[in-house]
Amino acid sequence: MRSSLLPVLLLCTALTGVIGGAVYFIQRDRQALVDQFARERQAQLQEAARGVSEALEDVGEDLRFTGELLSQPGTAEEHRRELRALLEAVGQYKAIVVFGPDGKERLRLLDKRTGASLAKQYPAEELARTARSVLEGASGHIASSPPLSGDSTGWLRAFATSLPEDAPGGGGAVVVLVDAEPLFAPLKLLTAESDTHLLLLGAHGAPTALSAPTLAARYQGLATDVRGTPGLAALSRRMLAGEAGSLVIERTEAVGLGLGDAEVVASFVPVRIKNGALWPLATLSSTRGLRSHERSLVLRLSFAAFLFSSFLIAFGVYVVLARSRAVALQESLRHASRLAHLHDKTQKILDHIPTGVLALSTTGRITSANRALSTKMPPDVVGSTLAAAFPQAHAPVIQRLEELVNAAGGDNRVRSLHGEPLRLFAEEGQYNVHAVPLEPHQPDVRTLLVLEDLSNLRALEGQLLRAEKLATVGVLAAGIAHEIGTPLGVIRGRAEYVQDKLGPEHPQSAGLGTIVEQIDRVSRTIRQLLDFSRLQPAESRAVTLSSVVKSVQELLRVETERRRVVLSMDVSQPLPALAADSDQLQQVLVNLLLNACDACEPGGRVRLTATPGEADASGAWGRVRITVEDDGCGIAARHLHQVFDPFFTTKKRGLGTGLGLTMVAHIVRNHGGRIELDSAPGQGTRVMLQWPAAAPAREEQHVG
């Protein structure tokens, strides 16, 4: 008895030691988990701070642009009109005020939407104070004010910069009153988790409205008392010094700060604006989740060790007591296992397998069929052959199934056909077919033939994938329209202003007109991108391809010269007019040609050709084949099926959005055309478009 129990006791002791060691290492590595947690929070914070810095830099760019505008010659009314355009284009700008070099206000523009309410509590003194600060500082410096008095939201800020001394009026300063809350909107995502709190200090060191109220109150109390909050004091010093990093606040201090009963990881970075003050930013995240995870893991391991040890002890006692019956019990278990196995297979074949399953004997006769197939096959299918079970299937299909079954039984391995188009019933479907061999000593159920109908699944997968991609494009399009609309409006206004100044006879006037025209086309493209996920018929008209190609060649002339790529276009032979939207056709050709230029090295060649395609049944009109080919780097075979997917690009980060070819495919298909792609690495790429030709005008028939 003792000799039988000894191995069991030794095993239990070893298992207990393993679990204890695992608990020890988990506790030892807790610091590594905290460090990893801090790195993740720091990365999230830096990403959010980067977005806020870019938004603040946009304000700085607008201030610098305004300063350049006021430095240009022109009447006060012209300057007022340009500033009014900027004020109306940027929604978060509430007022633009210009001060003279003496600090006195010379020009004031209020936003039409909130101007009435702002005029009642106009912060004239605070705006003037901000203007004086930049007049007294270095040239080009951008200053920002503390929260303005009378602002209930706490987000109104005045941003100012000085004007050059050689500007009309002897210099001065320009001040923009900004609703800063949208600029810091990316930071709200950092507080999505309940254990994460935000502390954002303004350029003057005061907590902003986005800061957690408890943290803001304790931070302001540091000026009089730092006892009990050394971690917060150290965090504030490093934040105000413009440092970036992370530190750990002890559990007792975290409880006092209302951050939970666990250590807190504080990650901090400065949000910078070029030539301006920084906005210190920090997130304080509780490690309560890590502590709970650690405790849960230890408890589960301990409980598992206890259960397993108890099971081993009980099993050892049972083995000792039943040793005399071991041989008989093993034989009984073997027979019971066989019976249970056969019963389980029969039950799965008949009732529990959702796909179609046939049981075949060694002679190839059907011995059973589950519900998924019996409802589709003849009623007397049991005992018949595969040909009788599928009377609507062609002979080659039946032969292929029989060969699959024979191959599986021959080498006793599962044989499969994946995604095969087969006509087994009234309509052709797509199936996965598996021949599963069973024990050779069971002649009645030698092989299982499993039929998985994938037709509906593949259709749903395609619809879901397209819906997800189009939904993503819709969200991205909204963001693009918001972010691009403002700078485009500013560029267009500046171009029109310069064009008016130069006059229609100036040699550069036509070029400026082209800039305005192309900005308008980009604006139309943005509107079309917003409708990308809604398939709408294109407004097609009869368009002459040669005129569109000539316009595209002129647009790309400077770009191809810059890249040193030879661009040739051959549309010399007579071609029918195309049924197309002219702007969309131009967009397709520009995207394809620019992609081809991107793929070429200096000295490469890009060629566009057009030939008449096949005519329709009457021979009157049909399609035009447009081909764009290059001798560039080509596309890898594994990427060929992805090039038209939204957001897929092989270009380096920041050089491509992955929407160019997606928009091309969308426009071509929306016009009723087809697009094909042929490419190989090192052999260049060829894109072929089959574009519908415009229907010929009906000739009038005169009856004599």
Side-chain angles (χ1 to χ4, degrees):
M1 178 71 70
R2 293 181 179 177
S3 61
S4 300
L5 288 176
L6 183 59
V8 176
L9 293 177
L10 290 175
L11 184 59
C12 292
T13 303
L15 180 61
T16 304
V18 171
I19 298 299
V23 172
Y24 167 76
F25 284 114
I26 289 174
Q27 293 175 342
R28 191 194 68 175
D29 292 342
R30 185 175 186 277
Q31 185 59 44
L33 292 175
V34 173
D35 293 341
Q36 178 64 24
F37 181 78
R39 287 193 294 271
E40 293 174 355
R41 289 296 184 270
Q42 183 72 14
Q44 293 176 356
L45 185 62
Q46 288 176 343
E47 184 65 24
R50 189 178 300 111
V52 175
S53 296
E54 292 175 355
L56 289 173
E57 186 59 31
D58 288 342
V59 176
E61 288 295 333
D62 288 342
L63 277 172
R64 285 187 282 272
F65 169 74
T66 304
E68 293 176 2
L69 179 66
L70 293 173
S71 302
Q72 299 294 325
T75 65
E77 183 58 32
E78 289 176 339
H79 291 166
R80 178 184 294 272
R81 185 169 62 251
E82 295 292 343
L83 294 179
R84 172 64 65 185
L86 175 62
L87 184 63
E88 294 178 355
V90 184
Q92 60 264 33
Y93 292 174
K94 304 304 178 184
I96 298 178
V97 186
V98 180
F99 291 85
D102 55 357
K104 293 184 179 181
E105 184 177 311
R106 292 195 314 196
L107 174 64
R108 179 193 302 177
L109 294 176
L110 301 181
D111 180 26
K112 293 181 179 179
R113 291 162 288 191
T114 58
S117 60
L118 181 62
K120 296 179 181 179
Q121 296 180 338
Y122 181 71
E125 179 57 32
E126 292 166 297
L127 296 183
R129 188 183 304 117
T130 305
R132 287 194 296 271
S133 69
V134 296
L135 289 174
E136 296 170 359
S139 177
H141 180 72
I142 296 176
S144 60
S145 69
L148 302 182
S149 60
D151 174 30
S152 59
T153 66
W155 280 110
L156 279 182
R157 296 288 195 284
F159 290 85
T161 188
S162 60
L163 298 175
E165 295 181 358
D166 57 353
V174 58
V175 182
V176 178
L177 187 59
V178 182
D179 179 7
E181 183 176 9
L183 305 180
F184 293 89
L187 302 182
K188 295 182 179 179
L189 297 176
L190 299 175
T191 59
E193 300 179 5
S194 59
D195 287 341
T196 300
H197 304 269
L198 190 68
L199 179 61
L200 173 63
L201 306 182
H204 295 267
T208 66
L210 200 59
S211 301
T214 304
L215 285 177
R218 297 303 295 268
Y219 171 82
Q220 292 173 334
L222 292 175
T224 57
D225 185 13
V226 298
R227 291 176 299 176
T229 56
L232 183 60
L235 174 63
S236 65
R237 288 194 299 270
R238 298 184 67 177
M239 290 175 65
L240 294 176
E243 298 182 16
S246 60
L247 55 85
V248 177
I249 297 178
E250 297 299 328
R251 182 180 63 84
T252 54
E253 183 179 348
V255 173
L257 293 174
L259 301 178
D261 187 14
E263 294 177 340
V264 169
V265 173
S267 301
F268 50 93
V269 296
V271 177
R272 302 184 183 276
I273 179 173
K274 185 179 180 181
N275 295 332
L278 58 86
W279 296 60
L281 169 64
T283 57
L284 288 85
S285 303
S286 175
T287 60
R288 183 164 41 193
L290 294 179
R291 184 180 294 272
S292 299
H293 176 73
E294 177 187 356
R295 291 174 179 172
S296 174
L297 185 58
V298 171
L299 289 175
R300 282 184 289 176
L301 287 174
S302 300
F303 183 67
F306 171 76
L307 289 180
F308 196 61
S309 301
S310 301
F311 170 76
L312 287 178
I313 293 172
F315 182 73
V317 172
Y318 173 76
V319 169
V320 172
L321 296 176
R323 189 172 184 179
S324 61
R325 299 180 298 167
V327 176
L329 181 59
Q330 289 177 356
E331 187 66 19
S332 299
L333 287 175
R334 189 174 65 84
H335 287 291
S337 177
R338 285 186 57 191
L339 292 175
H341 183 59
L342 292 176
H343 177 73
D344 183 64
K345 287 190 294 186
T346 303
Q347 288 299 110
K348 287 182 179 179
I349 291 173
L350 295 177
D351 297 318
H352 299 290
I353 297 180
T355 56
V357 178
L358 289 176
L360 301 175
S361 66
T362 54
T363 61
R365 297 282 177 174
I366 297 174
T367 57
S368 181
N370 70 340
R371 293 195 191 104
L373 280 180
S374 59
T375 57
K376 300 179 181 180
M377 295 189 301
D380 55 346
V381 68
V382 176
S384 62
T385 62
L386 289 176
F390 302 102
Q392 295 173 320
H394 298 300
V397 174
I398 299 299
Q399 182 180 359
R400 193 169 187 185
L401 294 179
E402 291 175 346
E403 291 175 353
L404 188 70
V405 171
N406 294 334
D411 56 8
N412 205 31
R413 290 193 300 112
V414 177
R415 295 300 184 97
S416 302
L417 300 175
H418 296 284
E420 288 290 325
L422 302 174
R423 184 183 181 89
L424 298 176
F425 304 105
E427 296 181 355
E428 181 175 309
Q430 197 169 14
Y431 296 89
N432 282 342
V433 184
H434 309 281
V436 183
L438 303 179
E439 290 84 355
H441 57 272
Q442 296 291 337
D444 291 338
V445 189
R446 178 65 181 92
T447 309
L448 296 183
L449 188 64
V450 183
L451 302 174
E452 297 177 275
D453 190 351
L454 305 177
S455 302
N456 293 334
L457 179 62
R458 293 298 168 82
L460 290 175
E461 286 177 351
Q463 294 175 3
L464 179 61
L465 181 61
R466 180 174 180 79
E468 289 177 347
K469 290 180 179 178
L470 293 182
T472 305
V473 173
V475 173
L476 178 64
I480 290 176
H482 175 74
E483 296 297 331
I484 295 181
T486 297
L488 281 180
V490 173
I491 295 171
R492 190 183 190 282
R494 185 64 181 271
E496 288 184 334
Y497 171 79
V498 175
Q499 188 180 25
D500 291 340
K501 285 298 183 180
L502 295 179
E505 302 299 327
H506 195 276
Q508 301 300 328
S509 179
L512 292 170
T514 301
I515 293 175
V516 174
E517 177 183 351
Q518 292 306 309
I519 289 176
D520 291 339
R521 192 171 72 83
V522 171
S523 300
R524 290 195 299 272
T525 302
I526 292 176
R527 291 195 297 271
Q528 293 168 0
L529 187 58
L530 288 173
D531 295 331
F532 180 78
S533 59
R534 301 188 294 271
L535 289 175
Q536 298 176 348
E539 297 181 1
S540 299
R541 298 180 177 86
V543 176
T544 303
L545 178 60
S546 58
S547 62
V548 176
V549 168
K550 183 178 180 181
S551 177
V552 169
Q553 191 171 19
E554 179 63 23
L555 284 174
L556 299 181
R557 179 177 56 81
V558 176
E559 188 66 17
T560 54
E561 291 176 356
R562 183 181 67 84
R563 302 186 187 200
R564 291 182 291 169
V565 174
V566 178
L567 174 62
S568 61
M569 300 189 180
D570 183 9
V571 291
S572 57
Q573 58 181 312
L575 297 172
L578 302 184
D581 181 298
S582 179
D583 286 345
Q584 293 186 9
L585 177 58
Q586 181 177 341
Q587 182 182 356
V588 167
L589 298 181
V590 168
N591 274 332
L592 292 178
L593 291 170
L594 282 178
N595 275 355
C597 291
D598 288 340
C600 293
E601 297 292 336
R605 304 184 66 85
V606 177
R607 185 185 182 199
L608 182 147
T609 58
T611 57
E614 69 277 11
D616 64 349
S618 64
W621 59 288
R623 296 177 180 271
V624 173
R625 184 183 182 91
I626 304 173
T627 303
V628 176
E629 52 188 336
D630 62 75
D631 58 358
C633 59
I635 302 173
R638 65 181 184 277
H639 294 322
L640 285 177
H641 67 287
Q642 298 176 285
V643 294
F644 297 114
D645 289 347
F647 313 117
F648 175 81
T649 179
T650 58
K651 298 178 182 178
K652 295 182 179 178
R653 184 178 181 88
L655 298 181
T657 63
L659 282 174
L661 288 180
T662 304
M663 289 296 298
V664 167
H666 175 78
I667 293 172
V668 172
R669 292 166 185 160
N670 208 24
H671 281 79
R674 298 198 308 270
I675 183 169
E676 301 172 0
L677 186 141
D678 182 18
S679 181
Q683 299 181 13
T685 301
R686 181 169 64 252
V687 181
M688 293 80 70
L689 305 180
Q690 294 286 351
W691 200 285
R698 296 184 177 178
E699 298 179 358
E700 296 182 358
Q701 297 181 357
H702 301 278
V703 179

